[in-house]
Structure formats: C-alpha cells, structure tokens
Amino acid sequence: MTDSLTLRRPDDWHLHLRDGDMLRAVLPETARHFARAIIMPNLVPPVVTGADALAYQARILAALPDGMMFEPLMTLYLTEDTDPDDMRAAHASGLIKAVKLYPAGATTNSASGVRDFARVQPVLDAMAEIGLPLCLHGEVTDHDVDIFDREAVFIDKILDPLRRATPGLKVTMEHITTKDAVDYARAQDDSLGATITTHHLVINRNHILVGGIKPHYYCLPVAKREEHRLALVEAATSGEARFFLGTDSAPHSDDLKENACGCAGCFTATNTMSILAEVFEAAGALDKLEAFASLNGPAHYGLPVNQDTITLRRTPASYPEKIITGVGEVTVFDPGFPLNWSVLPSSV
Ligand code: NCD
Ligand code: ZN
C-alpha cells in the first residue's frame, strides 16, 4: 500500500476569490497547495474589461501573504457589450487566460451575463481566431426547465450549436455534474475540456436534502443523482486529458448560506487535495490524481506544468471547520468521511 504520493503542484481551473476582506481570508487557503488558478470574474460589478482584470489581479497579488507564491490566471466576464478589441489586447498582453460566459441569471452575480447568444458571436469568433478559451457555466435559465435538467438541456440547446457556429473555439465545460456532460465531452475533439469540482465527486442530491436541508452542500449547478456522481468519479479518475480539476470553491459567509434564501457555493479550497486523495484511492486510481489535478489543465490551457511538487502522506488530516474572515465565518466543505491523506507542510 502506498503511503506517500508526490505530485507536480496542482492548479485550480475554476476558483472564486471575491474581493476585499473575503479575498484576504480565502486566498491563502488556495495558495497553500495550488500554484495557479483561473479566477472567476463574477464580482459586483463584474470584471468585464482588460482594465478591470488588471486592477483585480493587482488586488489579488497585494492580498497574498509574504512568502506565498501564487499566480492568478485572470478572466473577463462576457457581456453582450464586450468589446472584441479590448479582449484581444488583454489577451495579447498575457493578462487574461480565458473568457467566462454566464447565461444571464444562472447563478450568483450573473445578472450581466448573456441573454442573446447571437450578440456575442463576434467576440467568440475573435476568441477562436486568437486561441483564447471560453469557460462556460453550462445551465439554461428558462423557468420551465427543471433545475436538475438545466445542464443536459444546455448541452443540446446552447453548447452544441455554439461550438458548431464557432469552429476552432476552445471551450471549457465548467463544473460538470451529469453523465450527459461526461458523455458529450468524450465525444468531442480536444478543443473541449471539462472541469469537475471536489464536491460533485463527493455528494449527490440526497446529501443536500435527506434528514434536513444542508445549506453548505447547496451549489450551482446543483448536485444530481448518484448515477451522475459515479459518472463524474469515473471520468475524473480515468486519467483522460479532457477532464481536470476546477474546484469552484465559492466562499459565502455563514449568515448568507444559513438563510431563508441561501447563496449557492461550496467552499473547498482548504481541504480539496485531501478529499481528492480519498476519492481517487477509493476508486483504485491514486496514480491518476496527478493527471487530474496537475497535468491535464495546463495542457488544455496551453500552459506549462508546474515545476515544483507537493507530497501527500497517509496520516490523518486536520483542517479548520471554519475560516474566519472580516465579513463573517466561512464553513469549510465537510466531505462526511475521515481524511487520511495530509499535504506535507514541508511542501507548502
Ligand atoms: C458560485 C458563486 O458563489 O460565485 N456559486 C456556485 O454555486 N458555484 C457561482 C458559480 O460558479 O456558479
Ligand atoms: Zn463558479
């Protein structure tokens, strides 16, 4: 039995860092284990221009504690008014690594998202031309579509037509939650990648609802049936290049989660690597963890893999239950099982 596992330092290909006091509190939780992360632009107001992204990048770097290394990979929030020339310039300077598309109203802070996809076609065409990836929150927002079906309907109604209309566009299907998404991703060429979160590998919809409502398990896309969770575990542990880690770690203070209208988002930055080691070991696939967390993402984004490593040791891991922030406490995701793999402090 393996008791020690050394991996290239992992990256997180979908992360919410927020701003201000929350940013300062949660950034070390990611930077402790991860070298880089794709930073979601859904601030209020969102990060829509190159100038916004440059200013946000500076705030992130200023919030990084001394002695910690971390590279924020910046993104722009696509709106129907996004200027293709501003986007081209932000990409050419090396500032942005992706553009994020939220269907309007799909999730937290997505009011400025896209309603009419035809209006963003010139931006998508420019992205295909310059090789800039599109990150997609893949859920339709039609009120008559059941929330558990919104991802599968998005694939048929939006994603597939969008990719056909924009040949060569690199797309990341983010936080996939269904077997439908796994099957779709597998049937495409390598211009399509798919991220999988930590929590969707662990919980199904029963975990949210059985025995009382669990606000800290509520996120979007919402967790689906067990058969879908199993498909995600199979995909993540397959080692296939198209599947990689995007935690979607999304901090909200406890008062906003434990609320009559609770916010969506699970906070997994702190303990993700220990949880993943547990999930991959249970699947007999510890040897595939490096591909999922450290190798496949850089390949999709055309970036080098990290040179340094982290080491996990089979010894009980302990993490705080809550992160204290200047805007309230944030509950760390509880996987519901003991964590037997620790990330060695010497490697952080
Ligand atoms: C995210 C957030 O809180 O910003 N919430 C979530 O449930 N994942 C938004 C998102 O990525 O959907
Ligand atoms: Zn997200």
Side-chain angles (χ1 to χ4, degrees):
M1 190 159 69
T2 321
D3 287 325
S4 173
L5 187 64
T6 296
L7 318 170
R8 296 268 187 174
R9 187 173 291 277
D11 302 304
D12 184 349
W13 300 94
H14 181 129
L15 176 67
H16 298 269
L17 284 178
R18 315 299 190 204
D19 218 336
D21 285 346
M22 182 66 90
L23 165 65
R24 272 187 289 283
V26 299
L27 178 58
E29 300 303 303
T30 287
R32 199 172 293 131
H33 297 163
F34 296 89
R36 300 171 290 194
I38 287 272
I39 308 300
M40 286 297 117
N42 64 330
L43 304 181
V44 188
V47 177
V48 291
T49 64
D52 295 341
L54 192 63
Y56 187 31
Q57 181 191 47
R59 296 199 297 280
I60 294 169
L61 292 175
L64 191 65
D66 285 348
M68 274 188 153
M69 302 279 286
F70 178 72
E71 185 184 355
L73 305 173
M74 306 310 292
T75 63
L76 296 185
Y77 184 120
L78 183 62
T79 74
E80 292 178 9
D81 300 321
T82 294
D83 172 5
D85 292 335
D86 179 67
M87 182 208 67
R88 280 176 189 273
H91 174 254
S93 71
L95 172 65
I96 61 161
K97 298 294 186 286
V99 171
K100 174 70 187 248
L101 191 161
Y102 287 101
T107 184
T108 312
N109 306 336
S110 61
S112 324
V114 175
R115 284 185 174 77
D116 177 358
F117 285 80
R119 293 193 57 182
V120 296
Q121 193 59 48
V123 182
L124 300 179
D125 291 339
M127 290 171 63
E129 187 195 316
I130 62 181
L132 181 59
L134 178 70
C135 293
L136 272 178
H137 183 107
E139 289 190 290
V140 294
T141 53
D142 315 43
H143 291 295
D144 53 349
V145 178
D146 189 277
I147 191 167
F148 293 99
D149 298 334
R150 288 179 173 195
E151 180 173 285
V153 173
F154 183 90
I155 293 170
D156 284 350
K157 295 270 160 54
I158 309 280
L159 173 60
D160 203 56
L162 181 149
R163 292 184 64 239
R164 285 176 199 280
T166 323
L169 180 66
K170 224 183 221 196
V171 171
T172 312
M173 294 172 74
E174 300 195 285
H175 41 51
I176 61 170
T177 58
T178 55
K179 182 171 186 307
D180 312 64
V182 169
D183 292 344
Y184 180 81
R186 282 202 164 123
Q188 312 307 310
D189 63 27
D190 64 7
S191 66
L192 188 98
T195 61
I196 302 177
T197 74
T198 313
H199 48 284
H200 290 120
L201 294 172
V202 173
I203 60 166
N204 62 34
R205 63 194 202 176
N206 277 18
H207 292 91
I208 310 171
L209 296 169
V210 173
I213 193 158
K214 314 290 190 316
H216 296 290
Y217 287 160
Y218 174 60
C219 67
L220 288 170
V222 70
K224 309 296 192 300
R225 289 176 182 275
E226 176 66 359
E227 67 187 276
H228 295 292
R229 187 190 72 83
L230 291 173
L232 298 175
V233 171
E234 190 275 326
T237 59
S238 69
E240 285 170 49
R242 57 175 66 80
F243 300 115
F244 47 95
L245 175 65
T247 66
D248 196 12
S249 182
H252 294 276
S253 59
D254 283 352
D255 58 320
L256 297 178
K257 294 286 295 175
E258 299 165 10
N259 185 297
C261 184
C263 290
C266 296
F267 181 71
T268 53
T270 306
N271 53 4
T272 274
M273 291 312 298
S274 292
I275 296 173
L276 291 179
E278 237 23 83
V279 169
F280 276 64
E281 178 159 57
L286 267 182
D287 61 327
K288 299 293 196 305
L289 180 56
E290 185 178 41
F292 181 68
S294 315
L295 304 180
N296 296 347
H300 178 71
Y301 280 91
L303 295 170
V305 298
N306 296 312
Q307 286 306 307
D308 60 335
T309 59
I310 63 166
T311 297
L312 291 128
R313 171 84 38 88
R314 188 190 301 281
T315 177
S318 74
Y319 292 103
E321 280 176 31
K322 296 188 188 287
I323 304 298
I324 314 297
T325 85
V327 286
E329 296 185 343
V330 172
T331 295
V332 175
F333 178 76
D334 174 4
F337 46 72
L339 298 176
N340 298 305
W341 288 90
S342 296
V343 182
L344 287 195
S346 59
S347 63
V348 293

